[in-house]
Each structure stands twice: as structure tokens, then as C-alpha cells.
Amino acid sequence: LLGAFKKVLKDFPSSRLEFVGSEIDEKYLSGFSSCERAKVIIHPFTRDLEKFYVKATALIDIDAFSQYDDIYLYGKVVKYLTINRIIITETGSNSPSREIFKNIPSIIQCNHDIDDLACGMKEAINRKELIEFTDRKNVISLFHIESVINKLNERITYKNVDELK
């Protein structure tokens, strides 16, 4: 993420990368000039994230990098769906988010790759005024509790009442 952001700063020098509730060891920022380092802002933990969402161009969700297929969809991205900001997901090629979020223009999917992530960040900056967020309506409905219960009920079949015991 930090390497990608350095690339973004070359084309968009007024950009900022803000971390909320994270601590980043300064060793990861050692390759940053003082001007670049000033663009990486680290905020202490807070439960009130609204003020950060309002000023963000994009929200970034990073899945764990694993050689195995990732089987999880992380809770943070589900929350991000309801916020009218571009979402950048850095994820594996076989992750659940690849399938769930494909063909949704307001969600930019990137590989675990500096250049790909930098391209995604630049795309978000270039498209921020053009994005409408209604493209997420169907995928948001997938995560409503009623939808989850209905899907479970559709898939559960019992041959007889004894199986319930």
C-alpha cells in the first residue's frame, strides 16, 4: 500500500493516505522523503469514523495475502458498501470479493501488487466525480439479515422431522 501510494504521489502530489486506528512502524516509511512522509497521516483509534469517510476519495480494504484461496469476506468492506465513496479492494484472484463485486464500477479490485494498486488509486482519483453508488444496491441487499436468513432457508432441506433432532 505504501509503495503504491508513493507512485500515486508522482502524478497526484496533493494526495494523502490516512490510516485510522492503525500504527505503522516508521521503518516502513524510511524510503519516504519528508514531503512524502507528511502525506501519510496516522490517526489514533476512534469509533467515530464518519468524519474520515466524508473527506475520503476512496476507502481501501486489504485482504490477507495468502497462497491459498481466501474464503473470507472481511466485515470492513461490508460496512464500506453503504458509504458513498469508491472502494478499492486489494485481494487475491480467487477471493470471495472478486466474485461478489465484479462488474460494480464503484468498486475497484486490485491484486496484491504495487503497480496494480497504484493504478487503482489513480483510477479512483480520476473517476471520483463520475461515480454513482446505486450500482451497489443489489450487493448491499445480499448482506441484510433478512436476505441471509432467506438464503439459508432456501438451502436447508430436511427429509423428515427426525433430522431436526
Side-chain angles (χ1 to χ4, degrees), residues 112-153:
H112 295 291
D113 175 81
I114 288 174
D115 292 327
D116 197 31
L117 188 54
C119 285
M121 294 166 96
K122 290 176 186 180
E123 181 182 344
I125 293 167
N126 285 324
R127 292 178 47 215
K128 68 182 178 185
E129 302 299 327
L130 307 172
I131 294 292
E132 293 185 24
F133 301 99
T134 56
D135 60 352
R136 299 180 190 171
K137 191 170 87 175
N138 291 336
V139 77
I140 289 170
S141 70
L142 290 175
F143 297 104
H144 288 145
I145 190 68
E146 296 85 10
S147 296
V148 173
I149 291 169
N150 288 339
K151 273 289 184 209
L152 285 171
N153 284 335

Side-chain angles (χ1 to χ4, degrees), residues 79-118:
K79 169 64 178 161
Y80 285 177
L81 289 170
T82 64
I83 300 165
N84 287 343
R85 292 293 178 267
I86 294 170
I87 299 171
I88 299 171
T89 62
E90 179 185 343
T91 187
S93 59
N94 293 319
S95 72
S97 64
R98 286 282 177 181
E99 184 62 28
I100 293 170
F101 302 142
K102 71 180 178 186
N103 302 319
I104 299 177
S106 68
I107 301 175
I108 300 169
Q109 297 195 55
C110 303
N111 295 312
H112 295 291
D113 175 81
I114 288 174
D115 292 327
D116 197 31
L117 188 54

Side-chain angles (χ1 to χ4, degrees), residues 23-37:
E23 292 185 23
I24 299 173
D25 193 318
E26 284 295 323
K27 72 181 179 186
Y28 296 113
L29 297 161
S30 64
F32 280 62
S33 69
S34 59
C35 289
E36 291 169 332
R37 175 60 185 92

